[in-house]
Amino acid sequence: MNSDHQIVDSLQKEQTISLEDFRFLLETQDKELIEYLAACARKTTTAIYDNHVYIRGLIEFTNICKNDCFYCGIRKSNANAQRYRLTKDNILACCKTGYALGFRTFVLQGGEDAYFTDTLVCDIVSSIKKQHPDCAITLSIGEKTRESYQKYFNAGADRYLLRHETASEAHYQLLHPAELSFKNRMRCLRDLKDIGYQTGCGFMVGSPHQTLETLYEDIQFIQQFHPEMVGIGPFIPHKDTPFAEKSAGTLEQTLRLLSIIRLVHPHVLLPATTALGTIHPQGREMGILHGANVVMPNLSPTQVREKYMLYNNKISTGVESAERLDDLKHRMESIGYQVVVMRGDYK
Ligand code: SAH
């Protein structure tokens, strides 16, 4: 037996890892050990969630944003972005289509667009709930006041995704303009959890200025915050952003981090993200094989999909599109997993 297995065994048993072991697992070239890490993560996932893959219908309902995050293709300064927003009726139609396909969670994601007032967001949430009472609604619309989060929750929103982006305050400021603060991002996450949302944080792998130490802080943050969901995917540059010339995060690092996150937080709902699918045609399957248990196919109307361009070449029409759910099911079956028609709540 490989003596380095004990690093993974101890991670699995203690659900924690030292900086030294973390560095070792991210840097090792030992194929057998890398596969062992993935196998332990898979086993941990299936012990809790069986071989089930939860699906979420992703509706990207506006790409209008008041923020100017350096990495993001829909930042306000990008004059090349063709802006759009969906109407309430468009969104309800997406949900109807999605419901018929078997989706029982809808994720409403967008830029921070003032057109969507609290009243309108609540109206959309409660209308979806009325038409589909057996479905969960996830919001991912950025930083709001506690009062706003409470209103959406009262209207029926179940979950909220707000990636922390990085657990290092200094790194956070290198990814965002001065008007965005780490403290407010953290305040938002605490409020969301306090209110009772199933809350998701997360980060990009290989974002500019990220280091092994900041990544380790991300892992520690996940251990402390204990979110119900964690979204990670490779950073991919967007041509019209200040980070256009930066290099992308890698498949390998993302997969290893998925496995490590699974082992430090066994119950977490962990998606194999669109960004992972974008850097490799089998990224989604590989994510599942490294401990992920969620995929989020795109349910937005096809004509707007290419406008929600967070990064170069973001995929939206292949197997990640909700209409091609059968392909996704077959792909998951081919690796021994089953796409299920369920809300897929945190266990
Ligand atoms: N406005 C919402 C939704 C943001 S888009 C919010 O603030 O939460 C969702 C996620 O996409 C972001 O949190 C970010 O981590 C990721 N993202 C943005 N630009 C990206 C890029 N260039 N490469 C990879 N992921 C990116």
Side-chain angles (χ1 to χ4, degrees):
M1 183 178 111
N2 186 329
S3 64
D4 291 331
H5 279 198
Q6 62 194 60
I7 295 178
V8 178
D9 293 340
S10 141
L11 164 59
Q12 184 162 33
K13 188 154 157 270
E14 310 293 334
Q15 295 168 26
T16 192
I17 186 165
S18 67
L19 174 60
E20 193 187 25
D21 287 351
F22 181 66
R23 180 190 310 277
F24 186 80
L25 288 184
L26 288 189
E27 290 177 355
T28 181
Q29 296 299 321
D30 178 348
K31 289 226 168 60
E32 198 269 337
L33 180 64
I34 297 168
E35 173 46 32
Y36 185 67
L37 172 65
C40 289
R42 277 201 296 279
K43 232 184 270 165
T44 301
T45 314
T46 51
I48 298 163
Y49 289 104
D50 204 346
N51 69 339
H52 293 171
V53 173
Y54 296 146
I55 50 170
R56 320 299 195 196
L58 180 61
I59 304 169
E60 296 162 334
F61 69 97
T62 174
N63 71 349
I64 297 171
C65 193
K66 68 175 169 61
N67 293 334
D68 228 2
C69 307
F70 300 150
Y71 46 82
C72 185
I74 63 168
R75 68 200 301 269
K76 75 165 174 223
S77 299
N78 180 8
N80 292 331
Q82 287 180 47
R83 306 288 171 171
Y84 73 93
R85 54 170 74 100
L86 301 183
T87 65
K88 174 186 166 189
D89 286 345
N90 295 151
I91 296 169
L92 287 171
C94 292
C95 295
K96 194 168 176 200
T97 308
Y99 191 89
L101 288 166
F103 288 95
R104 295 296 178 268
T105 291
F106 301 113
V107 180
L108 269 51
Q109 185 175 87
E112 293 193 18
D113 178 357
Y115 172 84
F116 290 92
T117 58
D118 288 352
T119 310
L120 180 52
V121 172
C122 290
D123 179 32
I124 293 168
V125 169
S126 60
S127 303
I128 299 173
K129 277 286 181 176
K130 201 157 148 206
Q131 297 192 358
H132 306 290
D134 53 335
C135 292
I137 299 178
T138 306
L139 294 177
S140 179
I141 53 176
E143 298 177 17
K144 307 280 174 179
T145 62
R146 180 171 181 130
E147 292 65 38
S148 297
Y149 288 147
Q150 186 69 58
K151 286 184 198 163
Y152 313 151
F153 188 77
N154 297 347
D158 302 273
R159 309 187 188 127
Y160 204 104
L161 298 175
L162 185 78
R163 291 186 175 182
H164 63 289
E165 312 297 355
T166 170
S168 150
E169 183 160 11
H171 184 209
Y172 194 90
Q173 291 316 149
L174 296 172
L175 298 177
H176 301 97
E179 51 296 358
L180 290 172
S181 82
F182 179 72
K183 289 194 174 66
N184 195 48
R185 198 81 177 170
M186 290 292 155
R187 190 273 304 159
C188 290
L189 283 165
R190 276 195 309 275
D191 282 345
L192 290 164
K193 204 148 189 244
D194 242 34
I195 289 168
Y197 283 99
Q198 292 178 45
T199 305
C201 65
F203 58 90
M204 295 174 286
V205 177
S207 64
H209 312 289
Q210 185 175 67
T211 63
L212 194 109
E213 286 73 20
T214 67
L215 276 173
Y216 187 64
E217 288 183 63
D218 290 319
I219 299 299
Q220 289 178 304
F221 173 67
I222 290 167
Q223 290 176 289
Q224 288 154 15
F225 185 62
H226 218 74
E228 284 76 17
M229 307 173 283
V230 171
I232 69 162
F235 162 74
I236 303 171
H238 185 290
K239 62 179 175 43
D240 301 315
T241 63
F243 290 162
E245 305 304 325
K246 303 285 184 188
S247 45
T250 68
L251 177 69
E252 285 70 27
Q253 291 287 291
T254 307
L255 295 174
R256 289 186 206 187
L257 285 160
L258 281 171
S259 298
I260 293 169
I261 291 167
R262 172 62 65 200
L263 293 173
V264 298
H265 186 359
H267 288 259
V268 76
L269 293 163
L270 191 60
T273 55
T274 307
L276 189 57
T278 297
I279 54 166
H280 192 285
Q282 270 92 46
R284 291 259 164 108
E285 290 94 314
M286 290 189 219
I288 298 297
L289 290 171
H290 287 75
N293 66 330
V294 174
V295 285
M296 299 168 64
N298 197 316
L299 252 185
S300 313
T302 34
Q303 68 277 14
V304 304
R305 280 188 200 165
E306 59 183 33
K307 299 186 181 142
Y308 200 82
M309 206 41 82
L310 301 178
Y311 41 81
N312 292 339
N313 307 315
K314 176 167 166 277
I315 53 170
S316 65
T317 56
V319 65
E320 65 296 326
S321 67
E323 320 78 78
R324 304 230 343 234
L325 201 57
D326 278 339
D327 282 11
L328 183 70
K329 285 180 188 165
H330 292 138
R331 283 174 179 232
M332 292 300 152
E333 280 161 18
S334 76
I335 57 166
Y337 286 78
Q338 193 192 343
V339 169
V340 293
V341 178
M342 276 196 242
R343 275 174 52 123
D345 287 292
Y346 179 80
K347 284 191 186 166

